[in-house]
Amino acid sequence: MTIGAALPLHNGIDATVQLAREAHEAGLRSAWFGQTFTYDSPSLAAIVGREVPGLHVGTAAIPVFGRHPLVVSSQAQTAQAAAAGRYHLGLALGTKQLTEAGFGIPHDRPIRLLREFLTALRPLLETGSTDFRGELLSAGTPLPAAVPGAEPPVPVLVAAMGPQALRVSGELADGILPYLAGPRALAEHIVPAVNAAAEAAGRPAPRIVAFVPGVVTADADAVLRTATDSLAFYERFPSYQRVIELSGATRAADLALIGDEETVAAGVRRYREAGATEVVFTATDLGSEADRYRTWKLLGELATG
């Protein structure tokens, strides 16, 4: 199992690079960047990947609404070339609220769009060309679309947790990026569904990259209060409400791994036993700087142990 961390997006470029260096020095294998309306995360990943040799970098995750496979392919291949083959592309369905408020476009037929997006994108990343005509999008390459040095082909993962998205991801992607999906939801619902879809499509078993909020701290009660406020944002969305319930929790913060080293390490083992092939810690900045350092130190030890 490899272990990484999602880095916050509120710092400057230089500070982000420094955080990534610290994560790598602590023994973490990967750094991941979300995609909101601020930084372009593939560009940020490209910078970090070039500045911190040996560290894998990833985007988790770019919503398919408001994007086109040709543009995303160019971004991902550029990041792959800059990071010397250590970039991982994450895609997401996004949410109705943010899609329609931000882009002014309807969040209609997301599963169909995801299927068409992946179908058009995969040959672009693998061969630099595509010729796809779908119901919701079309993509062709009147000019070559391969980026020199973008090798091996960029792996594609999807922030999938619902049955239909898991089916499409198993068929067409290299793995999934579940968030706020506890060990119970992974073991009973998510991992079996995506593995079955991959097997039916004749594809290898997909990567299961579990994103988990967690902090090693001596003041678990205070950090839990902060986590409860910070993670409540996700409780507004039906997809997260569902997976939180399937995990046996009532709120997002119930799924955060908060406590001493033994407590957090035991939580990571439960994700591994549930089928996670990789664990990425998020929200490691909910406590103090000393807490973050303790968290990354533990994760580095788990990654190399």
Side-chain angles (χ1 to χ4, degrees):
M1 171 180 283
T2 63
I3 297 181
L7 301 189
L9 296 179
H10 55 257
N11 297 304
I13 297 290
D14 290 343
T16 300
V17 170
Q18 181 56 36
L19 275 177
R21 286 198 182 101
E22 293 176 14
H24 187 45
E25 290 167 359
L28 277 72
R29 304 298 177 84
S30 61
W32 295 76
F33 306 94
Q35 181 63 63
T36 59
F37 296 120
T38 58
Y39 286 115
D40 177 70
S41 58
S43 299
L44 188 58
I47 294 168
V48 170
R50 191 165 182 82
E51 291 291 321
V52 189
L55 183 69
H56 286 255
V57 289
T59 296
I62 298 175
V64 293
F65 283 92
R67 272 81 176 183
H68 190 276
L70 281 168
V71 176
V72 172
S73 170
S74 295
Q75 292 176 301
Q77 289 190 71
T78 301
Q80 182 74 318
R86 291 174 279 108
Y87 176 69
H88 307 256
L89 171 64
L91 299 175
L93 296 175
T95 67
K96 181 179 179 67
Q97 296 93 321
L98 296 180
T99 297
E100 297 186 352
F103 291 101
I105 57 177
H107 189 267
D108 292 341
R109 304 180 67 189
I111 300 300
R112 182 67 196 182
L113 179 60
L114 175 64
R115 179 176 292 278
E116 293 190 3
F117 202 102
L118 289 169
T119 302
L121 178 66
R122 292 305 299 254
L124 283 166
L125 298 176
E126 294 168 0
T127 69
S129 65
T130 194
D131 184 9
F132 178 77
R133 300 292 180 270
E135 294 180 51
L136 303 180
L137 67 83
S138 296
T141 43
L143 296 173
V147 174
E151 299 173 351
V154 177
V156 180
L157 305 102
V158 179
M161 294 185 291
Q164 295 183 75
L166 290 169
R167 187 178 308 116
V168 173
S169 301
E171 293 175 9
L172 297 173
D174 298 302
I176 58 171
L177 305 163
Y179 178 51
L180 294 178
R184 182 191 298 180
L186 283 180
E188 297 179 4
H189 301 277
I190 292 174
V191 175
V194 73
N195 281 347
E199 183 178 2
R203 293 182 56 82
R207 292 164 56 190
I208 312 295
V209 186
F211 277 65
V212 183
V215 179
V216 177
T217 179
D219 194 352
D221 290 341
V223 174
L224 179 58
R225 287 193 295 270
T226 303
T228 300
D229 293 338
S230 176
L231 299 177
F233 168 81
Y234 296 98
E235 297 165 7
R236 299 162 46 193
F237 304 109
S239 59
Y240 286 110
Q241 293 169 0
R242 175 182 176 275
V243 79
I244 290 168
E245 182 178 351
L246 291 175
S247 300
T250 57
R251 57 182 184 177
D254 295 337
L255 298 168
L257 298 179
I258 299 171
D260 61 15
E261 282 81 357
E262 183 178 352
T263 298
V264 173
V268 172
R269 286 194 295 271
R270 288 194 294 272
Y271 277 90
R272 178 178 61 199
E273 293 162 358
T277 60
E278 303 161 55
V279 170
V280 175
F281 262 46
T282 72
T284 59
D285 58 346
L286 288 178
S288 65
E289 277 293 293
D291 290 340
R292 180 182 62 79
Y293 177 79
R294 283 181 66 184
T295 306
W296 287 9
K297 182 176 183 292
L298 172 67
L299 297 178
E301 291 170 353
L302 295 175
T304 56

